[in-house]
Amino acid sequence: MNFFSNWRVGTRLGFGLLSIILIFISVVGTAGFVTARLAEAERWTTHTYNVLATSDGMLLSMVNMETGSRGFLVSGSDKFLEPYISGKKNFQSFWEEAKKLTSDNKEQQDRLDRIKSKSEEFVQVFENLIQMRRDVLVGKVSTNEFLTKFSSGSDKIAMDAFRKLIAEFDKTERLLLNIRSIESENMRKLSSQVILYGSIVAIALAIIFGFLLTRSITRPIARAVTVAINISNGDLTNHFNLNQSRNELNQLLSKLSLM
């Protein structure tokens, strides 16, 4: 009560209102900060999903290239090379997108460079086999020479090395995804807690401030009204113990005392 006693009524009301507003602003500001952190965490989670999509795309492109080239090597028909040709084009697109998305991760950038190198090695193996198969068709190379080269397994070695690197790339991104998913969940929980408990604290403090403010105003007024009624009834025996504050309520009691 003494905290408010020296203040004018307007100042008390202004302080009370400002205090309540600041409390709610603090809660809203904290909730906004946490929400921004949550949005950032979820953005990175989406980013990781996009990187994983490029990883799947690169692997699928290489599988299509392998399927198309093997179809041609077996049949000798160019129509089977369509998946091989589209796979080469798609792989390049997915690889470039992966490089762009992981520009902040040197480890993944280095791994992508090795992936590109292995894909080029794979392409070179199959380009040689495809050309050799064409030579078989025109009689430049014997079937036995082609089969010997094809059965050496150089294409499988290149593809296995590529798959290993893709698996490492994918594993690293999935570990990041797990970390970011946990962070997102923690931010969601923190956001809910800030809003819930912050609102409770804000309401509790608003009630306390409101009670103290109301009491500091209504009690002197009630006292003054009682004294005024007694005076109107001819009772002049009221006594006052006034403090030194110069607010309106104390001035009112002072005038009644003088009366």
Side-chain angles (χ1 to χ4, degrees):
M1 182 69 67
N2 292 333
F3 180 70
F4 294 105
S5 62
N6 293 324
W7 295 3
R8 298 178 67 84
V9 174
T11 303
R12 298 185 202 184
L13 291 173
F15 173 79
L17 180 60
L18 180 62
S19 299
I20 294 172
I21 291 174
L22 289 176
I23 291 169
F24 277 100
I25 287 176
S26 298
V27 173
V28 172
T30 304
F33 173 76
V34 174
T35 300
R37 287 286 305 276
L38 173 60
E40 180 69 8
E42 291 182 341
R43 185 182 72 82
W44 278 109
T45 299
T46 301
H47 174 273
T48 306
Y49 275 119
N50 291 335
V51 175
L52 288 170
T54 64
S55 174
D56 292 339
M58 286 188 289
L59 180 58
L60 179 61
S61 297
M62 289 290 286
V63 169
N64 287 338
M65 292 166 64
E66 184 181 37
T67 301
S69 58
R70 287 183 181 279
F72 173 79
L73 295 177
V74 171
S75 67
S77 175
D78 283 353
K79 68 180 181 180
F80 288 99
L81 286 178
E82 183 178 343
Y84 177 80
I85 296 171
S86 62
K88 284 178 65 176
K89 180 180 178 181
N90 292 336
F91 175 84
Q92 183 64 25
S93 297
F94 284 121
W95 183 84
E96 290 175 355
E97 182 67 15
K99 284 286 283 187
K100 183 172 66 176
L101 290 173
T102 60
S103 59
D104 61 332
N105 189 327
K106 186 179 185 305
E107 179 186 1
Q108 291 293 69
Q109 289 277 291
D110 293 341
R111 189 171 284 119
L112 281 169
D113 290 337
R114 297 198 299 274
I115 286 173
K116 182 68 179 297
S117 177
K118 287 300 178 183
S119 72
E120 291 173 348
E121 181 181 327
F122 172 87
V123 169
Q124 186 60 49
V125 168
F126 270 104
E127 290 287 347
N128 291 337
L129 288 171
I130 289 171
Q131 184 57 50
M132 196 172 186
R133 184 68 174 90
R134 293 188 188 280
D135 291 341
V136 170
L137 293 175
V138 297
K140 290 183 178 181
V141 175
S142 68
T143 303
N144 287 336
E145 288 180 291
F146 169 72
L147 291 176
T148 299
K149 180 69 174 177
F150 183 61
S151 61
S152 66
S154 56
D155 58 318
K156 182 179 183 303
I157 293 173
M159 188 64 174
D160 288 345
F162 173 84
R163 288 180 185 273
K164 181 179 179 181
L165 285 171
I166 279 289
E168 292 174 0
F169 181 85
D170 191 83
K171 180 180 179 181
T172 300
E173 288 300 322
R174 291 192 182 279
L175 288 174
L176 287 173
L177 178 63
N178 185 54
I179 293 172
R180 288 163 180 170
S181 295
I182 292 173
E183 184 179 356
S184 294
E185 182 62 26
N186 290 338
M187 286 295 104
R188 276 191 286 271
K189 289 180 180 179
L190 181 59
S191 178
S192 298
Q193 291 172 352
V194 167
I195 293 174
L196 175 61
Y197 296 118
S199 298
I200 291 174
V201 171
I203 292 172
L205 290 177
I207 292 173
I208 292 172
F209 272 122
F211 173 76
L212 292 177
L213 181 61
T214 302
R215 188 179 180 187
S216 72
I217 295 174
T218 56
R219 289 187 67 182
I221 291 178
R223 183 182 178 191
V225 169
T226 299
V227 171
I229 292 174
N230 291 338
I231 291 175
S232 67
N233 292 329
D235 182 3
L236 304 178
T237 62
N238 294 279
H239 297 283
F240 300 92
N241 294 316
L242 301 177
N243 55 40
Q244 299 301 313
S245 62
R246 299 181 59 82
N247 60 65
E248 301 97 317
L249 298 176
N250 205 57
Q251 290 176 15
L252 173 62
L253 291 175
S254 176
K255 296 302 180 182
L256 289 174
S257 178
L258 181 61
M259 184 184 298

